Amino acid sequence: MKVWLIVSFVFVAICGLVGLKQLGGQTMSEEQAMKMMKEFVALAPGEVPGFETGRRAVERVNTKWGVVSIDLLQRLYRKETDGSEVHIKIWASLLPDRDTAYKVAVLFTTSQRAPIGQPGMPEGSWSGLPLGEKAWSMVPKQIGEAPVAHLSVWDDRLAVGISVEYQRPSRWVEFVPINRSDLELGELAARLILAKANLVLLGWRELPTVRLVVNGKDLEGKKTKEGAVFVPVQALLKELGGRAERKLGVIWASWGGKKVVMPIGARVLLVGKEKVALRLPILWDGREGWVEGEGIAKGLGLAMRWERGRLVLAKR
Amino acid sequence: MTTVRQPNCQGKTNKAGLVVALLIACLWAFPSPSLAQIRWQYCLLVSPASYPLRWGETEPPDADMVAMPPGLDTSRAIPTSPGCYKVGTSGFSLAYSVEDQVKWGTLVVVIWDQATGDTIWQRTYNFVPRQGQVVLEGFVLPNYITLVGFQVTWSGSGVIFTRFNVFVVLDAPKAPMDPAWVSLLRYSCWWGRGTSNLDDAAQAITFGVFFHKISDPPRPGFGYTTKTSWTNVRTNPPTLKLKAIFDEWDAGRTVYGNCLDISCFTMVALCSVGMDFSTRQLTGTLLSPPDPDAGNFRTNPLCPIGSDPTVDVTYSPWAWLWHQVCVLTGSPDPPSNAAGIWDPTAAQKEDLNGNGYRNPPAHHPNHLWWQKDYWQKPHTQVPGAWLGLVNEPIQGANDPQLYGLGTWKCQVDTGPWPP
């Protein structure tokens, strides 16, 4: 009898595990991933200033590589007084592995200027600031091109495609450059999507807090399963006597004569012209920016040490 | 989208229509108990069988099928169904049933071409039972692509009518439009209206896609961007987001896509009216450094879809590595010249004879766009100049070549992209 009970238990456990797909480091069912993408990762009203949030959908796509992609599709829009509209269109794909996510991000760049499967747009974001592990972008340049700009981002198991397009009531498609401010807002959408998806994939709410000591003041950090510590940058800079301010998708900080640029969703922070690599992307939880401790310490030139379970960040 | 016309009956029909309208107005103004009880149960084209159709609204396809036979059946979830028939089909029978207090009445069937508004057939069946079947004797569908409207009016204790339409196509719709989507046929039959053979229909539909945006007052259609935007290339074969395109147009927005999107869309439009088309990716000899467009070829001046092809300023050369066009399924591979090309993505200023053209290439016996010539052809009137798609570099004997996905058909779905 006991043997049967054990066999049954093992069978049920195996079935349960088989029913779940590995979507990253943590086990997440497709249904959970779809719910997460729709309810948490999708952009909420007000997150991209001036834009209304249109409908959103989450799809399960069987890819040609034999793996499932969980896709969030969302549209943001802004109506102009002249009857035209600005749309930010979002494709965010969560894949089970980095390689496939990279391939998907590359396919988001498919154009007539490269073989399908190779980047068809120039590397770099619209702003030129780092974004994800790799980004590609283009803007319309030639008469005959529709007023739509494209951006594709790869970061770990995420691929994000963004289009900023103008819809104008006209007899013809008119060549109109995309305003820089609209490109910044489109890029903000990509950065927020990356940050939010990473918060979920890291299990942010469940991550244990870590006591940080900065200038004798206590702060709270977050420790990942892999041992990396995320530090709240605005609180950190405040305690250090510096300043940190978020402008759209970028946190600009200054302290001790250093100017530090922290683009949300990037795995790099910029100190002057120097690039400091980060193991994990810069996150934004809606109120605070979070940067991996080792990276920010290196960027700001802080000493970092563990003392009785507390992480001490101090001036050198 | 299309301007579907109402029946335009001449002479007596106008008077009859007036009488019917007055009768309806009187009955509406003075409702009687008998009117409340008059109701269609069904009014169906029971023979011949229609080609199967999909609405193009939802997945899976089985849940999206149009109930057959065409016509009205009040017991259906969607009571009115369209039909789809080959040009020149005849032998139609109409089965009908009306809930009415009187057992006998008059049935009037009016059939009109929705593209022109012209009545093409009408018949009054006097003193017929409230349930029965009538043969539409002598009625033959037009021998050209169009949309045909049916109006059936019952006059018993009161007057009621119902309307439905059928699509008239060249032949059975071809994959991936088997079954064809109603949402697409509304466009493809409009673009191909009045044509009765493959050459004319394929040219008309190619032009229809290209010129759909260009209208006054403004109308949504396609615009050109170099990025593939409406085809999911992560699936095998890639998936054209067809419903999403119509949703965009319905919302009054222009759809920005590249040659892959636009030729896939045109291919399914051609397939929907019974012509077996595929898409084909082509490339050729490419420019070398130090040319700024090295790694690509440079086209002759093109006017991309959505732009005004009548003015010079919209024509400019493009640097592309590959280009996707439509071909008849089974056409010889390049570099054979024995394949016609239909290229809705961009208009060319000159045709392959060096004459003013300003239309998208669309192979036709009266205007040849053979594959190899379409790719590049020496200008017969201007020495050293080249006609066709590619201006630079000079293409080799084996150009064009198949590229990437080669000759292929996309699949289609109703998914959002994005909503």
Side-chain angles (χ1 to χ4, degrees):
Chain A
M1 188 66 182
K2 277 184 181 174
V3 173
W4 276 111
L5 272 175
I6 292 167
V7 169
S8 303
F9 175 77
V10 170
F11 178 73
V12 169
I14 289 171
C15 288
L17 287 173
V18 169
L20 296 171
K21 300 283 181 187
Q22 283 286 335
L23 271 165
Q26 63 196 70
T27 304
M28 189 186 291
S29 70
E30 284 174 8
E31 288 70 28
Q32 284 175 316
M34 291 173 82
K35 190 171 188 293
M36 175 272 283
M37 293 291 269
K38 189 164 191 174
E39 294 179 3
F40 188 79
V41 178
L43 296 178
E47 286 193 290
V48 177
F51 278 79
E52 306 285 324
T53 47
R55 286 186 297 158
R56 62 194 166 183
V58 175
E59 270 198 322
R60 180 188 180 282
V61 178
N62 288 311
T63 66
K64 59 185 176 185
W65 306 286
V67 298
V68 169
S69 174
I70 303 298
D71 288 3
L72 164 69
L73 308 164
Q74 190 175 17
R75 183 195 299 266
L76 313 179
Y77 64 94
R78 185 181 74 217
K79 294 190 177 195
E80 309 286 64
T81 50
D82 64 357
S84 64
E85 293 183 2
V86 182
H87 289 246
I88 297 175
K89 290 161 45 173
I90 300 164
W91 294 258
S93 299
L94 176 60
L95 282 304
D97 61 85
R98 288 171 55 81
D99 287 350
T100 315
Y102 177 79
K103 288 177 189 168
V104 170
V106 167
L107 285 180
F108 282 150
T109 72
T110 300
S111 84
Q112 287 179 260
R113 288 186 64 96
I116 296 175
Q118 290 182 30
M121 303 190 312
E123 200 169 323
S125 68
W126 286 318
S127 66
L129 290 172
L131 176 54
E133 292 188 61
K134 201 165 263 192
W136 302 265
S137 64
M138 59 166 284
V139 293
K141 290 178 179 165
Q142 189 171 344
I143 288 179
E145 266 186 289
V148 54
H150 306 288
L151 169 71
S152 177
V153 187
W154 167 59
D155 188 79
D156 197 23
R157 285 161 284 130
L158 293 162
V160 181
I162 301 279
S163 291
V164 175
E165 70 179 38
Y166 292 166
Q167 290 285 344
R168 305 162 74 91
S170 58
R171 281 190 71 186
W172 328 102
V173 169
E174 293 169 352
F175 174 75
V176 183
I178 307 289
N179 290 333
R180 190 176 164 176
S181 57
D182 289 326
L183 295 177
E184 282 176 354
L185 292 167
E187 201 168 295
L188 168 65
R191 294 184 185 282
L192 292 178
I193 291 273
L194 275 187
K196 292 170 89 172
N198 271 297
L199 288 174
V200 174
L201 292 172
L202 287 165
W204 189 254
R205 285 181 191 165
E206 286 74 40
L207 288 184
T209 55
V210 177
R211 307 301 299 175
L212 305 174
V213 181
V214 181
N215 258 358
K217 292 271 179 64
D218 278 354
L219 295 176
E220 277 190 354
K222 290 273 197 178
K223 190 172 183 181
T224 69
K225 287 169 190 159
E226 290 73 28
V229 174
F230 273 100
V231 172
V233 283
Q234 287 171 303
L236 172 76
L237 266 296
K238 187 181 170 193
E239 295 308 331
L240 288 172
R243 281 181 54 198
E245 187 185 6
R246 181 178 83 106
K247 285 181 186 165
L248 297 178
V250 182
I251 302 166
W252 303 85
S254 57
W255 177 70
K258 291 187 173 180
K259 290 195 185 300
V260 184
V261 181
M262 290 171 273
I264 295 166
R267 288 179 184 245
V268 168
L269 56 82
L270 307 170
V271 184
K273 289 182 179 176
E274 186 193 352
K275 286 183 179 175
V276 178
L278 303 169
R279 281 187 292 167
L280 291 162
I282 297 166
L283 304 179
W284 177 259
D285 69 2
R287 290 189 301 269
E288 176 61 285
W290 297 84
V291 182
E292 187 216 327
E294 279 182 29
I296 190 81
K298 189 177 174 188
L300 293 175
L302 298 172
M304 188 173 102
R305 65 180 185 278
W306 286 96
E307 270 184 18
R308 284 172 289 178
R310 300 189 306 176
L311 187 65
V312 179
L313 291 158
K315 295 175 190 173
R316 282 186 194 277
Chain B
M1 65 121 201
T2 58
T3 310
V4 173
R5 308 262 166 83
Q6 301 303 314
N8 175 21
C9 309
Q10 303 295 318
K12 288 180 181 176
T13 316
N14 279 343
K15 287 174 189 166
L18 191 64
V19 171
V20 169
L22 280 171
L23 192 55
I24 291 169
C26 290
L27 289 168
W28 178 78
F30 309 105
S32 68
S34 61
L35 183 63
Q37 290 165 18
I38 186 166
R39 191 178 83 94
W40 286 106
Q41 285 184 320
Y42 57 82
C43 178
L44 299 164
L45 272 183
V46 287
S47 69
S50 161
Y51 294 128
L53 293 175
R54 254 188 88 170
W55 291 108
E57 292 293 331
T58 189
E59 302 290 344
D62 286 350
D64 191 39
M65 294 301 289
V66 175
M68 291 293 165
L72 171 75
D73 184 341
T74 53
S75 68
R76 290 171 178 164
I78 303 172
T80 304
S81 296
C84 182
Y85 297 91
K86 186 170 179 166
V87 291
T89 299
S90 60
F92 286 91
S93 290
L94 189 78
Y96 66 93
S97 178
V98 184
E99 283 178 18
D100 198 349
Q101 286 179 328
V102 297
K103 291 184 177 175
W104 301 89
T106 301
L107 201 67
V108 180
V109 181
V110 179
I111 302 168
W112 73 102
D113 184 331
Q114 290 184 303
T116 61
D118 293 338
T119 299
I120 50 180
W121 189 88
Q122 61 181 312
R123 182 70 49 89
T124 301
Y125 301 88
N126 289 312
F127 206 61
V128 290
R130 62 190 172 191
Q131 180 176 348
Q133 186 165 325
V134 292
V135 175
L136 308 188
E137 225 167 279
F139 170 60
V140 182
L141 279 175
N143 64 353
Y144 50 83
I145 294 173
T146 193
L147 304 94
V148 166
F150 282 69
Q151 177 175 293
V152 185
T153 306
W154 166 262
S155 304
S157 63
V159 177
I160 54 172
F161 71 94
T162 185
R163 282 181 177 176
F164 57 94
N165 72 291
V166 306
F167 302 102
V168 184
V169 296
L170 289 184
D171 198 2
K174 303 297 186 292
M177 281 294 119
D178 55 343
W181 290 25
V182 170
S183 54
L184 177 60
L185 283 167
R186 288 181 185 133
Y187 288 95
S188 55
C189 285
W190 175 255
W191 291 326
R193 67 191 183 278
T195 61
S196 54
N197 59 67
L198 185 146
D199 295 317
D200 293 346
Q203 185 189 54
I205 289 172
T206 304
F207 283 15
V209 172
F210 181 85
F211 286 103
H212 190 63
K213 164 74 187 160
I214 300 163
S215 71
D216 194 11
R219 179 171 62 190
F222 281 108
Y224 177 76
T225 177
T226 55
K227 180 184 174 289
T228 301
S229 302
W230 293 87
T231 314
N232 184 353
V233 288
R234 287 173 288 159
T235 60
N236 188 21
T239 308
L240 178 69
K241 310 301 282 188
L242 188 55
K243 178 177 183 290
I245 290 173
F246 294 133
D247 287 347
E248 206 72 353
W249 285 356
D250 290 345
R253 294 191 286 263
T254 299
V255 167
Y256 305 142
N258 75 353
C259 63
L260 194 148
D261 304 304
I262 293 156
S263 60
C264 281
F265 180 90
T266 306
M267 180 203 81
V268 295
L270 295 164
C271 290
S272 72
V273 295
M275 299 182 284
D276 193 359
F277 272 78
S278 298
T279 59
R280 176 170 285 178
Q281 294 184 350
L282 296 168
T283 190
T285 303
L286 307 173
L287 294 160
S288 302
D291 192 292
D293 292 323
N296 295 277
F297 57 82
R298 197 157 34 241
T299 70
N300 277 311
L302 302 177
C303 170
I305 191 168
S307 293
D308 180 0
T310 63
V311 296
D312 285 351
V313 71
T314 57
Y315 288 84
S316 63
W318 292 77
W320 289 337
L321 168 59
W322 55 276
H323 186 50
Q324 185 169 305
V325 297
C326 295
V327 293
L328 272 169
T329 302
S331 294
D333 283 347
S336 166
N337 204 26
I341 296 293
W342 290 261
D343 178 9
T345 302
Q348 297 199 12
K349 215 180 227 179
E350 295 176 315
D351 64 13
L352 296 180
N353 296 316
N355 298 321
Y357 184 61
R358 294 178 187 266
N359 280 303
H363 183 73
H364 189 278
N366 296 335
H367 229 132
L368 303 173
W369 289 93
W370 292 118
Q371 184 166 247
K372 194 168 178 59
D373 294 344
Y374 155 84
W375 192 251
Q376 190 178 63
K377 186 185 174 198
H379 204 302
T380 49
Q381 298 157 39
V382 185
W386 299 93
L387 298 167
L389 184 75
V390 180
N391 179 272
E392 289 184 281
I394 296 171
Q395 299 294 288
N398 290 326
D399 293 327
Q401 305 151 32
L402 282 183
Y403 188 74
L405 297 167
T407 305
W408 63 291
K409 283 186 181 235
C410 63
Q411 53 184 331
V412 289
D413 81 10
T414 60
W417 191 257

